[in-house]
Amino acid sequence: MFERIRIAHACHRYLRAQHALRRFSGVALLACGRQVLFERGYGLADAAHQVPNRPATRFRIGSQTKLFTAVAILTLADAGRLRVDDPIARFLPGYPRGEQITVHHLLSNTSGLPDYILAEDFVACQARPHSLPELIARFRDRPLLFEPGASFSYSNSGWILLGAIIEQISGLPYRDYLRQHVLAPAGLSQSGMASDDEVVPQHAAGYASLDPLQRAAHIANANQHAAGGMHATAGDLHRFWLALMDGRLISGESRALLTAAHAHHDLGGYGYGLLVGERHGRPYLEASGGTFGFVSVSAHYPAEALTVVVLANVEGAPFQAIADDLAAIGLGQPYDLPSARQFVAADPARFDDFTGRYELSFAGRRSVLEVRRAGAGLEAAVTGLRPAPMRALSDTRFLASMKGEVELEFVGPAGRPVEGIQLDWAGHPLTARRIVSAG
């Protein structure tokens, strides 16, 4: 009992500090097995109506949806209705290269399909709901990035096809199959995928930033579908991990497939819809997600049966750091309380050295990071994300909030355009190299 009280007090002290620094608004949960050690909301679910975040608040979970989609596919495998090595042409006749692309390739992000989210024209139409065939048409005829199975590149497109396969086999809309065969058996009553005209009770509003307060851009839920369209509560995500690990959802053989590292990339090993690796010196499994106005993560440490869930309704929340530190509290490992950053007035004479386009690889997916002037300062823009103001920590180091906190360190001599940027993106070290224009 006293250990539980100590852990709950430490979690609250830590999150209260994050909230006081205006870095976190949301709900966090820490549990050991079925015992919830800590669960609490911070900040506002709806600033306009002063509605606080509570444990029952529902949040968009973005790409955590992929783990649910993977489990849904494996329920069909357990029922003998597909095999993961089946070519997708079996279920989607006529799809280009469908005889070479397998269900396994889609589940492990090794299909070579380009990501429709990164297309330059997607932002302009993201608020208009697309039907599933319309969504597939956005990437169907684009060339593959590599031969199926030859490499890894995180692609929402593959998960849209998995949603289509579920619908084709089951004869049910994806959301209905998910509810009947995954959510209900796991005891999840507050989670699902809403249609764009549906009002979801106790759903948080999403914010681009807290300081200043700014509502997030809108993306139609239909446009994320089986790749990222779900909402959930922290308690439901805890219940999901319990059901997944105790065998209520899929067979042991399917769970072994789900949690095996089928590919490796700059963030670690990748199973089916989740990261597989080590954290705090222990094996762990993690699903994370981000969409306009929301970031989230849920992680499970199998040996300790420890589950941590962080749901935030502000894009720039340091969700990964929060989840890692809450796990450290539960595991009795060292961690640091958050403290205020010291921002400085950067030398504007250097801004022209920094501006330009940089090639970035994140989870095997290549995109362009553009640094450009915005008023008296700089902003960072990545395709598919909101442009974010850059606040100086030194003359060469900046902080931006876009799908988590991002620190950018410019590398290169003064008086010349820099050669690249060393980034810490939500705890992951990355390198972006300047794109040199021809001529």
Side-chain angles (χ1 to χ4, degrees):
M1 174 62 73
F2 291 109
E3 180 69 0
R4 181 180 178 184
I5 292 173
R6 180 195 67 79
I7 288 173
H9 175 75
C11 289
H12 176 53
R13 181 172 176 239
Y14 174 88
L15 287 163
R16 183 176 58 192
Q18 290 281 14
H19 175 61
L21 293 167
R22 301 187 67 76
R23 294 180 190 164
F24 179 63
S25 172
V27 173
L29 176 149
L30 182 68
C32 183
R34 296 186 177 279
Q35 184 182 37
V36 176
L37 305 173
F38 175 81
E39 184 178 18
R40 188 160 179 165
Y42 296 83
L44 296 175
D46 186 334
H49 298 94
Q50 293 295 293
V51 178
N53 278 315
R54 300 184 177 95
T57 303
R58 306 177 193 193
F59 297 78
R60 282 191 173 191
I61 62 170
S63 287
Q64 286 202 63
T65 304
K66 293 178 174 65
L67 177 55
F68 286 83
T69 300
V71 170
I73 285 285
L74 291 172
T75 64
L76 292 168
D78 285 340
R81 304 183 73 178
L82 62 71
R83 299 186 307 272
V84 296
D85 58 357
D86 282 337
I88 65 171
R90 178 184 169 192
F91 313 105
L92 305 174
Y95 192 88
R97 303 291 301 275
E99 294 292 348
Q100 290 79 45
I101 300 170
T102 67
V103 173
H104 167 80
H105 291 144
L106 302 182
L107 288 165
S108 59
N109 283 325
T110 58
S111 66
L113 289 169
D115 194 340
Y116 72 97
I117 291 287
L118 296 183
E120 293 287 348
D121 62 345
F122 182 71
V123 173
C125 65
Q126 68 185 28
R128 178 182 67 80
H130 290 56
S131 67
L132 188 54
E134 286 177 329
L135 209 53
I136 293 173
R138 299 195 68 85
F139 58 84
R140 175 188 173 98
D141 296 320
R142 293 176 61 193
L144 297 182
L145 302 176
F146 47 80
E147 287 299 301
S151 188
F152 177 96
S153 183
Y154 190 90
S155 176
N156 287 284
S157 304
W159 297 88
I160 298 301
L161 293 185
L162 288 167
I165 290 170
I166 290 169
E167 294 192 357
Q168 177 66 27
I169 294 175
S170 69
L172 295 171
Y174 167 81
R175 57 179 276 180
D176 292 346
Y177 186 87
L178 189 70
R179 183 177 65 250
Q180 294 177 26
H181 296 273
V182 179
L183 305 184
L188 278 59
S189 60
Q190 307 301 312
S191 303
M193 193 177 81
S195 61
D196 287 289
D197 58 358
E198 186 177 348
V199 176
V200 178
Q202 301 186 77
H203 199 298
Y207 295 92
S209 66
L210 296 179
D211 188 17
L213 187 69
Q214 180 183 354
R215 282 295 299 265
H218 176 66
I219 181 169
N221 220 30
N223 296 343
Q224 300 179 101
H225 202 258
M230 281 185 63
H231 62 264
T233 63
D236 266 5
L237 289 174
H238 172 222
R239 284 182 281 275
F240 172 73
W241 280 103
L242 289 174
L244 179 61
M245 302 310 290
D246 71 16
R248 276 180 283 152
L249 296 178
I250 53 177
S251 67
E253 180 182 358
S254 286
R255 187 170 67 246
L257 277 174
L258 183 85
T259 59
H262 300 289
H264 291 82
H265 55 90
D266 44 14
L267 304 186
Y270 194 83
Y272 286 170
L274 44 68
L275 289 177
V276 181
E278 283 196 359
R279 196 69 57 89
H280 301 296
R282 295 163 168 83
Y284 88 119
L285 307 167
E286 176 189 290
S288 64
T291 187
F292 291 96
F294 299 88
V295 287
S296 67
V297 61
S298 63
H300 184 75
Y301 295 75
E304 294 79 11
L306 188 78
T307 303
V308 58
V309 179
V310 178
L311 304 176
N313 62 325
V314 58
E315 291 174 16
F319 63 104
Q320 188 68 67
I322 291 173
D324 289 348
D325 289 339
L326 293 183
I329 291 171
L331 295 168
Q333 297 293 309
Y335 67 97
D336 295 320
L337 282 174
S339 58
R341 292 187 176 87
Q342 300 300 314
F343 294 104
V344 302
D347 180 4
R350 290 219 61 188
F351 286 179
D352 285 341
D353 299 341
F354 303 149
T355 57
R357 291 161 59 85
Y358 300 80
E359 185 179 56
L360 177 68
S361 176
F362 191 91
R365 181 173 61 178
R366 295 192 178 277
S367 57
V368 172
L369 164 65
E370 183 178 1
V371 176
R372 58 199 184 201
R373 284 185 175 267
L378 296 171
E379 69 177 14
V382 176
T383 304
L385 299 178
R386 175 186 62 91
M390 296 167 55
R391 303 178 68 184
L393 297 164
S394 74
D395 277 346
T396 59
R397 189 161 154 260
F398 295 77
L399 178 76
S401 294
M402 43 183 184
K403 206 171 182 181
E405 290 188 330
V406 186
E407 290 191 14
L408 306 91
E409 177 80 37
F410 290 93
V411 180
R416 294 177 56 190
V418 299
E419 301 161 0
I421 309 173
Q422 297 294 330
L423 300 100
D424 183 315
W425 196 317
H428 302 295
L430 303 170
T431 299
R433 301 194 180 281
R434 179 183 285 276
I435 299 172
V436 179
S437 300

